[in-house]
């Protein structure tokens, strides 16, 4: 069971791991596809959402006091998009 505050709810047990893996990959760790191989189509949908989120966010203006966050989000997005390509066969 996963808990998300302040909106406590029960969700897919794999969600937090999937959401974290683009960060692991972009920081020099193993690639997401090495760490998570579940073929569930719902995982692919979440990976697509994460890739889209980072693609959108990295194109926004820098927030005050965080000049490097957009580059960080872009790097996460690249990893997520590569993972999505592999999961869908687009690569």
């Amino acid at each position: 069971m996963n808990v998300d505050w302040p909106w406590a709810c029960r969700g897919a047990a794999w969600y937090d791991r999937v959401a974290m893996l683009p960060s692991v990959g972009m920081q020099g760790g193993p690639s997401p596809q090495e760490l998570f191989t579940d073929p569930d189509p719902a995982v692919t949908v979440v990976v697509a959402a994460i890739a889209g989120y980072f693609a959108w966010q990295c194109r926004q203006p820098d927030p005050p006091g965080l000049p490097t966050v957009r580059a960080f989000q872009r790097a996460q997005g690249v990893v997520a998009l590569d993972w999505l390509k592999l999961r869908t066969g687009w690569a």
Side-chain angles (χ1 to χ4, degrees), residues 3-44:
V3 178
D4 187 13
W5 304 108
W7 302 281
C9 65
R10 189 175 172 109
W14 47 260
Y15 182 84
D16 288 337
R17 186 172 179 197
V18 167
M20 168 191 73
L21 289 177
S23 292
V24 172
M26 63 85 59
Q27 293 183 50
S31 64
Q33 60 270 16
E34 291 177 59
L35 297 173
F36 197 87
T37 59
D38 187 332
D40 185 345
V43 174
T44 304

